């Protein structure tokens, strides 16, 4: 059995996969997910490119441009974030507008793929992978609209799917299968830190070579261990808040108020845990990272 310990993918996205020598890891994931060969040309500026200690650790992203001049936003998020769907929409819209110059033709608009790797419960659903895109469907006929455009003096039929952004939501915690396909092997790594020794899945062979913990130098390993410890603290905090939220929700009594009670209770639980952490003398920066509260909110406790 393979006993190598691999670096968490969120840390790899933050620190390692931006290096051109490691592009093949990300190319492998995108190739498996999009079911076509992806070749990354370069990494573009994004809001999470900074590598300061006080960066918000529970969400990191990487924005890449491929050989087809399309933009890929790969995001890893450890904990739930308010207005998550609105934020990924904003990220895609920002990427589109950033990569077309004023005065250019609309034909220069880039196709954008948004891939979110989620380690939290986003809602109800039985699958671990969801895909969404804008489509125009006949209200009465059910057919998909083909748009006819003139290009190089010829009429070309173009589907909206060739133009509009695509969204992939990978719900890591919902994966509970024996990995038999390349995509399932990737989920097995993302969730269980396991890669088959004989894997031929694109990207995972490279993970085995490049993202093993024993390849890290002492300084990097110490920073990585602090990162993992902080995530463990945060998971404990959120588990406690979630439990208290359930109790609050049940206390509401009425079925129609249960969901609201769960959310309000979880929020109360987070504040309660933050207050206790503050009393224990835990550094404010750690409490911020662990609870998602702002420094101002914590100082007022």
């Amino acid at each position: 059995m393979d006993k190598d310990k691999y670096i968490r993918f969120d840390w790899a996205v933050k620190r390692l996969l931006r290096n051109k020598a490691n592009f093949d890891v990300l190319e492998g994931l995108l190739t498996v997910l999009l079911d076509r060969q992806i070749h990354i040309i370069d990494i573009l500026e994004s809001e999470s490119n900074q590598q300061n200690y006080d960066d918000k650790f529970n969400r990191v992203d990487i924005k890449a441009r491929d050989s087809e001049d399309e933009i890929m936003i790969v995001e890893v998020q450890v904990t739930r974030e308010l207005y998550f769907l609105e934020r990924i929409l904003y990220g895609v819209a920002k990427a589109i507008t950033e990569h077309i110059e004023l005065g250019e033709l609309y034909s220069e608009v880039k196709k954008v793929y948004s891939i979110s790797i989620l380690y939290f419960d986003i809602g109800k659903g039985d699958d671990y992978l969801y895909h969404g895109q804008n489509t125009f469907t006949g209200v009465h006929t059910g057919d998909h609209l083909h748009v006819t455009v003139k290009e190089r003096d010829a009429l070309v039929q173009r589907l909206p799917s060739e133009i509009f952004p695509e969204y992939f939501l990978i719900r890591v915690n919902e994966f509970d299968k024996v990995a038999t396909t390349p995509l399932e092997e990737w989920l097995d790594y993302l969730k269980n830190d396991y890669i088959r020794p004989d894997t031929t899945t694109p990207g995972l062979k490279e993970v085995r070579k490049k993202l093993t913990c024993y390849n890290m130098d002492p300084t990097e390993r110490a920073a990585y261990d602090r990162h993992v410890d902080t995530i463990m603290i945060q998971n404990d905090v959120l588990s406690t808040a979630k439990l208290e939220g359930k109790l609050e929700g049940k206390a509401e009594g009425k079925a129609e108020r249960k969901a609201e009670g769960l959310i309000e209770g979880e929020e109360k639980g987070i504040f309660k845990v933050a207050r206790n952490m503050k009393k224990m003398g835990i550094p404010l920066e750690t409490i911020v990272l662990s609870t998602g509260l702002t420094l101002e909110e914590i100082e007022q406790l």
Side-chain angles (χ1 to χ4, degrees):
M1 182 176 177
D2 183 13
K3 295 183 179 180
D4 284 337
K5 186 172 180 60
Y6 302 105
I7 296 169
R8 287 176 57 98
F9 196 69
D10 57 322
W11 180 270
V13 167
K14 188 75 171 175
R15 302 295 183 98
L16 304 174
L17 301 188
R18 302 172 193 279
N19 186 324
K20 193 174 183 67
N22 296 329
F23 282 2
D24 47 9
V25 173
L26 198 59
E27 287 173 346
L29 171 62
L30 295 171
T31 293
V32 167
L33 189 63
L34 303 181
D35 197 27
R36 61 182 174 85
Q37 187 66 45
I38 300 296
H39 179 58
I40 294 175
I41 301 298
D42 53 15
I43 300 299
L44 307 171
E45 286 299 317
S46 69
E47 63 181 62
S48 295
N49 274 355
Q50 306 93 342
Q51 296 193 13
N52 300 324
Y53 171 75
D54 58 354
D55 283 348
K56 192 169 185 180
F57 88 99
N58 70 330
R59 176 169 59 85
V60 291
D61 70 355
I62 189 168
K63 186 166 66 170
R65 182 171 64 90
D66 73 352
S67 56
E68 301 298 318
D69 207 22
E70 297 174 329
I71 297 172
M72 317 277 179
I73 302 173
V74 179
E75 177 174 287
V76 185
Q77 185 156 336
V78 177
T79 60
R80 193 184 71 183
E81 182 172 319
L82 198 60
Y83 306 123
F84 167 73
L85 292 178
E86 291 87 342
R87 187 178 51 70
I88 63 171
L89 173 62
Y90 173 77
V92 167
K94 186 176 180 183
I96 293 171
T97 56
E98 282 178 342
H99 294 280
I100 184 169
E101 299 293 335
L102 187 65
E104 283 187 332
L105 297 175
Y106 286 124
S107 60
E108 298 302 314
V109 167
K110 307 298 182 189
K111 173 71 178 284
V112 177
Y113 295 86
S114 172
I115 296 98
S116 299
I117 301 172
L118 310 175
Y119 287 85
F120 64 97
D121 183 11
I122 191 175
K124 292 183 178 180
D126 297 326
D127 209 334
Y128 60 84
L129 175 64
Y130 285 85
H131 172 253
Q133 188 182 28
N134 300 67
T135 59
F136 295 96
T137 306
V139 174
H140 302 101
T141 61
D143 68 316
H144 292 291
L145 178 67
H146 292 246
V147 179
T148 302
V149 297
K150 189 171 183 180
E151 191 172 280
R152 296 189 181 91
D153 297 323
L155 292 178
V156 178
Q157 293 243 320
R158 181 169 293 163
L159 282 169
S161 60
E162 300 176 78
I163 302 167
F164 283 96
E166 294 187 41
Y167 301 87
F168 293 85
L169 303 181
I170 302 175
R171 303 168 73 213
V172 176
N173 293 339
E174 301 304 313
F175 176 74
D176 59 359
K177 302 176 65 177
V178 175
T180 58
T181 68
L183 180 60
E184 289 169 353
E185 283 196 51
W186 260 100
L187 265 294
D188 210 5
Y189 158 57
L190 293 174
K191 181 179 181 179
N192 302 317
D193 196 29
Y194 177 74
I195 301 174
R196 287 171 42 188
D198 61 344
T199 186
T200 58
T201 293
L204 290 184
K205 295 179 294 183
E206 290 71 26
V207 171
R208 286 181 55 82
K209 294 176 184 177
K210 301 176 179 181
L211 299 188
T212 51
C213 289
Y214 59 72
N215 284 337
M216 303 173 78
D217 63 53
T219 302
E220 184 78 357
R221 181 58 187 264
Y224 176 72
D225 287 342
R226 288 195 300 272
H227 173 78
V228 173
D229 288 344
T230 306
I231 288 176
M232 291 177 65
I233 291 173
Q234 184 177 48
N235 287 340
D236 286 343
V237 167
L238 294 176
S239 294
T240 301
K242 192 170 184 179
L243 175 60
E244 295 188 5
K246 287 181 180 178
L247 296 175
E248 292 279 351
K250 289 179 180 178
E252 291 291 326
K254 297 180 180 179
E256 65 270 17
R257 296 290 307 276
K258 186 176 181 181
E260 182 181 346
L262 285 171
I263 295 171
E264 291 180 355
E266 184 174 333
E267 291 174 349
K268 291 177 183 177
I270 289 175
F271 278 101
K272 183 177 179 179
V273 173
R275 189 179 297 110
N276 290 338
M277 292 175 75
K278 188 176 179 182
K279 288 179 180 178
M280 293 167 61
I282 294 175
L284 295 183
E285 292 80 2
T286 301
I287 302 176
V288 169
L289 293 176
S290 298
T291 63
L293 299 177
T294 66
L295 190 61
E296 291 74 18
E297 288 172 327
I298 295 169
E299 288 176 342
Q300 292 173 7
L301 293 176

